[in-house]
Amino acid sequence: MIARVLTAVTTGFDSELVTVECDTTRGLPAFNIVGLADKAVGESRERVRAAIANSELNFPAKRITINLAPANLAKEGSHLDLPIAISLLCASGQLRQKDLDGILFVGELSLNGEIRPVRGVISLAECARRNGCETIVLPRENAAQAALLDGLNVVGVTTLTEVILHLLDEKVITPTAKSVVENINNTSHSIDDVRGQESAKRALIIAAAGHHNLLFTGSPGAGKTMLARTLPELLPPLTTDEIFEITKIYSLAGETDDVITTRPFRSPHHTASFVALIGGGTKIKPGEISLAHHGVLFLDEIPEFPRSSLEALRQPLEDRTVSISRASGKTTYPAHFMLVATQNPCPCGYYGDEKRECTCTQQMILNYQKRLSGPLLDRIDMIVPVARVEREKLFTENPCKPQADEWKRQIKTARDTQIMRQKRPNSALTNKQLEKVAQLDTTAKNLLSTAAERLNLSARSYFKILRVARTIADLNAHENIATDDIAEALRYRQN
């Protein structure tokens, strides 16, 4: 008798259906797994053997052959333990084949029969639903993530014995209910704690409202990093679709088994490798730019990052996806993030500072500033100088009333306006879509044309100014872009 059990394997951002076939025949006891399995799958022989025996089930003393079909698809991951064990129990007559139809099994087995959590469960659950499976059986720790999908019964289990009793209808497990997700921005940094820096705060509000890329430049200690870390507080709550996408990426990366309910804020060190930032590796995994999807990628002291890593950001900043090609295959991950970066004006950090004298030569300053290429700077929507805060404002009690809640309300209203009008934030508008929503009066159009000519703006810079101006108009509740909106947007272009 040949038993067949359904499971799946991840292939980058997606998953493929796999059928686990088990055949038991007479002969010397043996346990073979075929079908292009990696080392983790090959080692499942011992885990499955011990788990079945320690669960007081019968491990057949026969020649056992497990085939993972399709045979030309590489199989990797310890989550194939459970489907292999189920197929073996079915082939030995301890389970009925008809009880396994329409069920996809996922889980890693411990030696005592416990089922451990695995990564990538949302992608595996998507594969189950796409191929007509009604139920997915997986580790209980992963059930909350899989339950984000509609139209699929998610059965969370903790032991192999529980699975058997459930399949035999002796102790049926209630499917995991889809939990109500609360959108909460948990952050220890508040914009109300920042003294002064009114122009930089205004830039943060505009960036948060339109999902624009931002670069703070100024001397050390001026508050660039502190300003950047207050951004998550200002961003609108995640939508249901955004929660699903972010949780899927984090599950594939093995970062967490929980549902992600807050916008990511990723802050890699400047010594992070190219692969860590962009993604890749032998088993292609998402990098920091994908883990920052629908959130913020913060690059503190951006000139210190390797040039190759920074230049690799150019394509994801435009396409909002990253395509990774390796010898093992090709994968495309989403990467719709806000780039927020900081930099000093020179190696010593005090070029242009009113209080301290710069000790760098002109050549040192030029070489330092050239670490950021023109094409990369062209993709940054807003470049904001951050000046040193006067000591009187820094050490006196903050006289300003809290404004964070009011700013968050303005940002959410502006973002809701954009979603209703064009189904996306202003930064994601194509040039053709921008022409439809960026209506300018004659004075504003003349101002932008004059500025484009005098500043020698590229086409990309021209349209980025329009996008920022459209966001400013939304914050100011202007139906059309006014002259003041264009003038403010031009303040944030320095190239």
Side-chain angles (χ1 to χ4, degrees):
M1 174 184 175
I2 296 178
R4 292 180 174 85
V5 174
L6 295 179
T7 186
V9 293
T10 57
T11 55
F13 194 58
D14 297 313
S15 292
E16 295 288 340
L17 190 70
V18 170
T19 302
V20 179
E21 300 175 333
C22 179
D23 179 43
T24 58
T25 58
R26 294 179 180 178
L28 291 175
F31 193 171
N32 299 311
I33 298 177
V34 297
L36 210 58
D38 72 347
K39 186 173 179 60
V41 180
E43 291 175 345
S44 68
R45 292 191 299 265
E46 303 307 321
R47 292 192 295 270
V48 169
R49 188 194 306 273
I52 291 177
N54 291 323
S55 298
E56 298 183 356
L57 299 166
N58 179 35
F59 188 90
K62 294 184 178 182
R63 182 176 181 84
I64 302 167
T65 302
I66 301 289
N67 179 43
L68 307 177
N72 63 340
L73 177 67
K75 323 296 188 311
E76 59 183 38
S78 58
H79 67 280
L80 296 175
D81 289 358
L82 180 58
I84 289 174
I86 296 297
S87 67
L88 197 157
L89 292 172
C90 181
S92 61
Q94 300 174 72
L95 290 173
R96 297 174 298 183
Q97 180 68 57
K98 66 177 184 179
D99 294 332
L100 309 180
D101 294 339
I103 304 177
L104 188 139
F105 294 87
V106 171
E108 176 186 330
L109 290 173
S110 66
L111 297 183
N112 64 355
E114 293 181 355
I115 299 179
R116 293 171 172 163
V118 297
R119 65 182 182 91
V121 290
I122 291 185
S123 181
L124 301 173
E126 279 185 314
C127 181
R129 187 178 63 176
R130 187 170 61 247
N131 288 276
C133 294
E134 299 177 354
T135 304
I136 181 171
V137 176
L138 42 63
R140 185 166 294 173
E141 290 87 343
N142 298 130
Q145 287 187 346
L148 291 173
L149 275 79
D150 295 322
L152 188 66
N153 295 322
V154 178
V155 177
V157 293
T158 57
T159 64
L160 180 59
T161 303
E162 276 190 8
V163 180
I164 303 305
L165 294 177
H166 174 78
L167 295 173
L168 295 175
D169 292 332
E170 294 183 12
K171 190 176 180 181
V172 178
I173 301 172
T174 304
T176 303
K178 186 174 183 178
S179 58
V180 178
V181 179
E182 296 183 5
N183 299 312
I184 302 174
N185 279 338
N186 295 321
T187 176
S188 58
H189 302 276
S190 174
I191 198 169
D192 286 331
D193 297 333
V194 181
R195 307 292 177 88
Q197 305 293 8
E198 300 305 323
S199 61
K201 290 179 182 178
R202 173 64 177 174
L204 273 176
I205 293 168
I206 296 170
H211 205 270
H212 297 291
N213 301 321
L214 183 65
L215 172 63
F216 286 126
T217 177
S219 58
K224 304 184 296 296
T225 301
M226 185 177 183
L227 282 163
R229 292 190 180 278
T230 65
L231 184 56
E233 177 196 29
L234 300 175
L235 292 172
L238 290 168
T239 65
T240 303
D241 290 341
E242 289 173 341
I243 289 173
F244 178 81
E245 291 179 18
I246 295 171
T247 304
K248 180 179 178 180
I249 294 171
Y250 274 69
S251 178
L252 285 168
E255 292 269 330
T256 181
D257 295 325
D258 299 324
V259 177
I260 305 297
T261 59
T262 58
R263 292 194 181 272
F265 185 87
R266 306 293 298 191
S267 180
H269 192 260
H270 66 262
T271 56
S273 67
F274 177 92
V275 171
L277 190 63
I278 305 302
T282 305
K283 301 176 182 178
I284 303 177
K285 295 179 64 176
E288 291 290 339
I289 63 173
S290 295
L291 293 170
H293 184 55
H294 291 312
V296 177
L297 177 67
F298 176 49
L299 302 183
D300 200 10
E301 300 300 337
I302 189 172
E304 301 299 331
F305 282 78
R307 179 74 177 248
S308 59
S309 298
L310 294 180
E311 293 306 306
L313 294 175
R314 287 158 57 174
Q315 179 260 334
L317 285 172
E318 286 292 305
D319 299 341
R320 298 173 185 85
T321 60
V322 57
S323 296
I324 305 170
S325 297
R326 298 290 184 269
S328 58
K330 180 179 179 180
T331 299
T332 299
Y333 286 113
H336 189 192
F337 58 91
M338 283 181 64
L339 174 63
V340 179
T342 66
Q343 73 165 10
N344 295 325
C346 66
C348 78
Y350 297 103
Y351 178 67
D353 192 279
E354 297 179 356
K355 302 292 184 180
R356 293 187 60 172
E357 183 178 354
C358 175
T359 58
C360 303
T361 65
Q362 193 65 30
Q363 189 60 44
M364 290 169 63
I365 295 172
L366 289 174
N367 291 340
Y368 185 81
Q369 293 179 349
K370 284 181 179 179
R371 293 184 184 180
L372 293 186
S373 66
L376 180 60
L377 285 172
D378 211 31
R379 287 166 169 81
I380 296 177
D381 304 313
M382 306 168 67
I383 301 175
V384 183
V386 179
R388 187 193 299 268
V389 180
E390 298 177 2
R391 287 191 178 89
E392 291 75 12
K393 291 183 179 180
L394 197 61
F395 295 110
T396 57
E397 187 176 348
N398 194 350
C400 300
K401 64 178 182 180
Q403 295 178 284
D405 290 339
E406 174 61 22
W407 286 335
K408 284 190 284 186
R409 186 193 63 77
Q410 294 176 8
I411 291 168
K412 188 176 186 306
T413 301
R415 184 70 71 91
D416 290 344
T417 300
Q418 297 164 34
I419 299 302
M420 289 180 61
R421 183 178 60 223
Q422 67 231 7
K423 310 297 183 189
R424 64 191 68 190
N426 289 331
S427 66
L429 288 170
T430 64
N431 293 345
K432 189 173 183 180
Q433 293 169 333
L434 185 62
E435 291 175 355
K436 296 179 180 179
V437 301
Q439 303 298 323
L440 286 75
D441 56 38
T442 304
T443 307
K445 190 177 295 185
N446 291 337
L447 174 61
L448 182 57
S449 298
T450 302
E453 183 176 349
R454 291 184 179 180
L455 299 177
N456 195 24
L457 296 176
S458 67
R460 182 185 289 113
S461 295
Y462 178 88
F463 284 109
K464 284 194 175 295
I465 290 173
L466 268 182
R467 291 185 182 92
V468 174
R470 179 65 267 180
T471 300
I472 296 171
D474 292 335
L475 285 167
N476 295 334
H478 294 165
E479 183 176 352
N480 295 325
I481 299 176
T483 305
D484 292 343
D485 302 328
I486 291 291
E488 185 174 2
L490 287 169
R491 288 171 44 200
Y492 303 117
R493 295 302 301 183
Q494 294 186 357
N495 60 319

